[in-house]
Amino acid sequence: MSSAGPPPTPSTRPEAPSSYRAPERDLRALYDKYFCDRRKERQLFSTGSFFVTFATVRGITHAIRAGRGPFKNITPGGRHIHHMTFGIAGLLTVGYLWLLEIGTNEQRLASRITSVAFGSGAALTLDEFALWLNLADDYWNKQGRESIDAVVLFGSLLSVSALGKGFFQELVQHALTGERTPSEFDGASSNGRNGTHP
C-alpha cells in the first residue's frame, strides 16, 4: 500500500488565478487605469448615455408611429413638441452648469450627472438633426437619414475620444485569456486613487 501523504493544507494548496478570485477587481483596475481622470470619465458617461438615449428615443418614436404601447406625441394645445426641444434644453442647462464649474471639478456625482445629461441632450438633439438642418419635419422621409449620419459621426467621435483602442484591447485580452499580463493595469494603483473609488 503506497502512502500518498497527508492531504494538502490550506496554506499549501495552489492559489486560484486572480481572474477566478475577483474578476470585478480586475475590471475595476482596468476602469481606474483608463477613466480615473474626471475628463475621461465624463467622456465615458456621455458616450454611454448618448447611445442609450438614441436607441431609446428611436424605439419610442417607432412605437408611436406604429400605434403600439403607451407612448404618444407631446402636443399641448395642438402644438407638436419635438424631442430635440428637450435635448436643446438639456444641453443649455449642462453648458450653464459647466460655466459655473459644476460637474467639472472633483465632485464625482455632479460630474457623472452632468455628463449623462450632456450625452442624452446631444442624442435627443441630433436625432432630429435633419429637422433643424432643413427646417422641415422630415424625420421619416429620405432626408431623415441625415439625422442618422449626424448621430453616427458624433457618436464615433465620443467613442474614440472616451475609450481609445488601448482600453478595448486590454478588455478583450482579459476576456479571452482570463489572465492579466504583468504590465496590465499599470498605473491603476499609482494614479492617486489606489484602485478604489470614494
Side-chain angles (χ1 to χ4, degrees):
M1 183 188 291
S2 63
S3 172
T9 62
S11 61
T12 61
R13 287 186 179 148
E15 285 192 31
S18 62
S19 58
Y20 294 115
R21 283 199 316 262
E24 68 279 354
R25 190 179 323 141
D26 292 345
L27 291 176
R28 176 66 62 143
L30 184 61
Y31 183 90
D32 288 340
K33 177 179 179 180
Y34 286 96
F35 305 112
C36 66
D37 178 59
R38 288 288 184 269
R39 289 174 295 179
K40 294 302 286 182
E41 188 177 57
R42 280 196 297 274
Q43 289 174 329
L44 176 68
F45 275 69
S46 294
T47 302
S49 68
F50 178 82
F51 286 113
V52 168
T53 302
F54 174 71
T56 301
V57 83
R58 277 278 156 170
I60 290 171
T61 55
H62 279 276
I64 291 171
R65 188 172 193 219
R68 294 192 196 121
F71 307 108
K72 305 282 183 226
N73 284 321
I74 301 171
T75 54
R79 179 191 303 248
H80 176 70
I81 306 295
H82 290 272
H83 53 267
M84 75 173 181
T85 305
F86 302 104
I88 293 169
L91 291 173
L92 290 171
T93 302
V94 170
Y96 183 70
L97 291 173
W98 285 351
L99 280 175
L100 299 176
E101 297 187 1
I102 296 172
T104 60
N105 52 24
E106 293 304 309
Q107 298 170 338
R108 181 175 210 80
L109 182 61
S111 177
R112 288 177 170 178
I113 290 172
T114 56
S115 300
V116 167
F118 174 80
S120 295
L124 290 170
T125 304
L126 288 176
D127 187 50
E128 296 196 302
F129 173 76
L131 187 151
W132 48 274
L133 177 68
N134 301 313
L135 296 178
D137 192 357
D138 49 16
Y139 192 82
W140 298 109
N141 61 26
K142 187 177 179 181
Q143 284 75 26
R145 171 69 192 180
E146 294 167 342
S147 296
I148 301 293
D149 295 339
V151 165
V152 168
L153 287 173
F154 189 71
S156 299
L157 175 66
L158 281 176
S159 298
V160 168
S161 66
L163 303 176
K165 67 176 186 176
F167 173 75
F168 280 122
Q169 284 176 339
E170 288 194 37
L171 185 63
V172 169
Q173 178 185 5
H174 179 70
L176 293 177
T177 64
E179 296 178 3
R180 298 173 11 163
T181 61
S183 62
E184 192 177 0
F185 312 141
D186 284 347
S189 61
S190 61
N191 60 29
R193 294 171 59 198
N194 295 322
T196 61
H197 289 272

